[in-house]
């Protein structure tokens, strides 16, 4: 394309040296028309290529790859007599992870967790969501629900992070130890 323009300009110069003013004007007009035509064609081509690119881009399916990990969770009242529960953790955007899981026993007592979490530092995890515990002898036999932003903390060489808002909804000195295990392998 550049060679064509160079050729046209060189041709114009050569013709310009040997042509009269009216001939020169005709040659100049022809070159201007050709130049405008080339610019117009290049603009059309660029627009077409952009449209093709946008069309191809819109046809590519958006794929979200969710890598899911299972981790053990536990509430001490249930863990004394049965297996730990499990929670599914899925990586989301901006270093957040969703978490959803539960632990139950034969008496239909439970720990349920649903929300999102993010590592704050080597030993602290921020959790935003809902944690519900139900132990028939605690809180007057009613479920205890904790919502909002809370912190899980890991101390020393422990394999778990413990919820720091430990006080049961019944108040007093009744504490719920809610633990999430093996987070260092996931977050």
């Amino acid at each position: 394309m550049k060679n064509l323009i160079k050729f046209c300009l060189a041709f114009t110069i050569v013709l310009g040296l040997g042509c009269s003013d009216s001939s020169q004007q005709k040659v100049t007009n022809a070159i201007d028309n050709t130049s405008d035509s080339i610019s117009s064609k290049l603009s059309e081509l660029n627009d077409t290529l952009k449209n093709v690119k946008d069309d191809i881009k819109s046809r590519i399916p958006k794929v979200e790859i969710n890598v899911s990990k299972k981790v053990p969770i536990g509430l001490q009242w249930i863990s004394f007599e049965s297996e730990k529960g499990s929670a599914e953790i899925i990586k989301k955007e901006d270093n957040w992870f969703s978490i959803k899981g539960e632990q139950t026993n034969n008496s239909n007592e439970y720990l349920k967790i649903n929300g999102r979490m993010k590592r704050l530092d080597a030993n602290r995890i921020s959790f935003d969501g809902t944690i519900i515990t139900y132990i028939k002898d605690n809180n007057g036999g009613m479920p205890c629900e904790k919502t909002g932003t809370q912190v899980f903390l890991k101390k020393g060489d422990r394999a778990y992070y413990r919820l720091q808002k430990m006080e049961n909804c019944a108040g007093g000195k009744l504490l719920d130890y809610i633990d999430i295990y093996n987070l260092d392998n996931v977050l």
Side-chain angles (χ1 to χ4, degrees):
M1 188 58 70
K2 288 180 181 179
N3 289 338
L4 177 62
I5 293 171
K6 285 179 184 178
F7 174 77
C8 289
L9 289 174
F11 184 70
T12 302
I13 292 170
V14 170
L15 282 178
L17 293 176
C19 297
S20 66
D21 286 340
S22 67
S23 296
Q24 178 64 36
Q25 187 60 41
K26 288 180 183 176
V27 169
T28 301
N29 289 343
I31 290 172
D32 287 345
N33 290 340
T34 302
S35 177
D36 289 344
S37 176
I38 290 171
S39 292
S40 173
K41 293 293 182 193
L42 284 174
S43 288
E44 287 178 27
L45 180 61
N46 284 336
D47 289 345
T48 301
L49 288 175
K50 184 185 179 310
N51 289 340
V52 168
K53 179 183 169 188
D54 291 345
D55 184 49
I56 290 171
K57 191 175 179 181
S58 71
R59 290 182 189 197
I60 296 173
K62 305 240 184 296
V63 177
E64 183 178 327
I65 299 173
N66 288 328
V67 177
S68 171
K69 301 279 184 165
K70 294 261 187 194
V71 295
I73 60 172
L75 171 65
Q76 91 275 20
W77 308 112
I78 299 173
S79 295
F80 289 145
E81 61 186 49
S82 64
E83 299 280 323
K84 289 182 178 58
S86 73
E88 180 179 36
I89 297 180
I90 300 173
K91 176 129 175 65
K92 298 295 182 181
E93 65 282 339
D94 299 330
N95 295 319
W96 282 96
F97 293 77
S98 68
I99 180 169
K100 184 174 184 175
E102 67 179 48
Q103 177 187 27
T104 59
N105 66 10
N106 292 336
S107 300
N108 293 322
E109 296 170 318
Y110 57 82
L111 158 66
K112 294 183 181 188
I113 186 169
N114 188 5
R116 63 187 192 142
M117 55 189 355
K118 180 180 189 176
R119 182 174 291 283
L120 296 174
D121 60 37
N123 296 318
R124 291 182 314 138
I125 304 292
S126 175
F127 171 81
D128 186 31
T130 303
I131 299 172
I132 303 172
T133 59
Y134 169 70
I135 301 298
K136 63 182 173 186
D137 293 332
N138 295 351
N139 195 33
M142 300 298 296
C144 175
E145 183 173 321
K146 299 175 184 179
T147 60
T149 302
Q150 300 170 62
V151 173
F152 281 84
L153 179 67
K154 177 181 174 182
K155 293 183 180 177
D157 292 335
R158 294 180 177 166
Y160 59 86
Y161 288 76
R162 179 162 285 165
L163 180 66
Q164 294 305 288
K165 186 178 177 184
M166 297 179 205
E167 188 174 318
N168 183 278
C169 296
K173 295 184 179 190
L174 184 62
L175 301 179
D176 293 330
Y177 296 143
I178 298 169
D179 301 324
I180 305 175
Y181 295 80
N182 303 329
L183 282 178
D184 292 333
N185 300 330
V186 180
L187 304 185

